[in-house]
Amino acid sequence: MKKIISFLLIFTFGLSSCEKDDICDANTPTTPRLVITFYDNASPTLLRTVTNLKVVGVGKDDSDAIIFNESGTSVTKYLTNANTISIPLKTDAKTTSYKFIFNAASANPNVDVLTFNYETQSVYVSRACGFKTTFLLNPRDNTANSGLIQTDPAADGLWMLNVNIVKSNIELENETHVKVYF
C-alpha cells in the first residue's frame, strides 16, 4: 500500500511540473508592416499596378532591397508589379526612409524617396508571442501628411504625384495606410 501511495505522490508531483507548450500561433498578429496602395491619378478610385517597382532603404545597397518574390532571380526577386505592397518600419527609430524606384528594370528608372515619421508603442501580445510594436504616423501635429516627407533626390521628376496618409494608426496589415496616386 505504501508503494502505491508513494507512486501516486511522485506521479502527481511529476504532472504538476509540466507546462503547456508556449508556441506563438502563426495567425497571431505581430508587428505590422505599412500597407501602401497605388491608384491611377487620372481616375482616383481605380487601382493601378506599378511596373517593376523596387523598394530600397535609404543608405542601403540595392542588394538589400525588400524582397517581393522569394523564388525570383537575383534581379527579379526585388521587383514587383502590384497595386498594393507592405513594407516594414524600423521599430527602434522614429523615422524610416525608402527609395521607391519606378521601372527599376529599365534604362531610365524614376526614384522618389518617402520618409515616414512616427511614434512607436510596444503592445503585449501573449507569453508565447511576447510584444509587438505598433506605429502612429502624424504624431507631431494635425496636418494631413505631417508623418510623411516626399523628395526627389535624382531630380528626375516625382512619379508619385499625390501621397496621402489614410490610416495613421498602424496596428494591422489588412488595411491600407497610405494611398499613392501616379
Side-chain angles (χ1 to χ4, degrees), residues 147-169:
L148 176 69
I149 299 168
Q150 181 181 11
T151 57
D152 183 18
D156 52 6
L158 293 172
W159 69 269
M160 290 189 247
L161 302 175
N162 193 1
V163 182
N164 293 322
I165 296 172
V166 293
K167 180 89 171 138
S168 60
N169 285 335

Side-chain angles (χ1 to χ4, degrees), residues 38-58:
F38 297 93
Y39 290 88
D40 188 342
N41 194 52
S43 300
T45 58
L46 295 178
L47 292 172
R48 184 171 174 191
T49 299
V50 183
T51 306
N52 291 325
L53 177 66
K54 186 176 193 176
V55 181
V56 183
V58 171

Side-chain angles (χ1 to χ4, degrees), residues 15-66:
L15 286 179
S16 67
S17 66
C18 292
E19 281 185 28
K20 67 175 189 151
D21 288 340
D22 282 337
I23 299 173
C24 186
D25 182 17
N27 296 324
T28 302
T30 55
T31 298
R33 293 174 293 171
L34 178 77
V35 179
I36 301 173
T37 304
F38 297 93
Y39 290 88
D40 188 342
N41 194 52
S43 300
T45 58
L46 295 178
L47 292 172
R48 184 171 174 191
T49 299
V50 183
T51 306
N52 291 325
L53 177 66
K54 186 176 193 176
V55 181
V56 183
V58 171
K60 298 283 186 180
D61 189 72
D62 277 2
S63 63
D64 289 329
I66 293 177

Side-chain angles (χ1 to χ4, degrees), residues 1-13:
M1 183 71 169
K2 287 184 179 182
K3 289 182 180 182
I4 294 175
I5 293 174
S6 298
F7 176 74
L8 287 175
L9 284 174
I10 291 172
F11 183 73
T12 303
F13 286 122

Side-chain angles (χ1 to χ4, degrees), residues 1 17 19 25 50 52 63 72 79 89 99 119-121 131 140 143 145 147 150-151 172 179:
M1 183 71 169
S17 66
E19 281 185 28
D25 182 17
V50 183
N52 291 325
S63 63
L79 301 177
L89 296 175
K99 294 185 290 186
E119 297 294 328
T120 60
Q121 180 180 10
F131 287 85
R140 293 171 184 88
T143 59
N145 285 331
Q150 181 181 11
T151 57
L172 301 170
K179 289 183 178 181

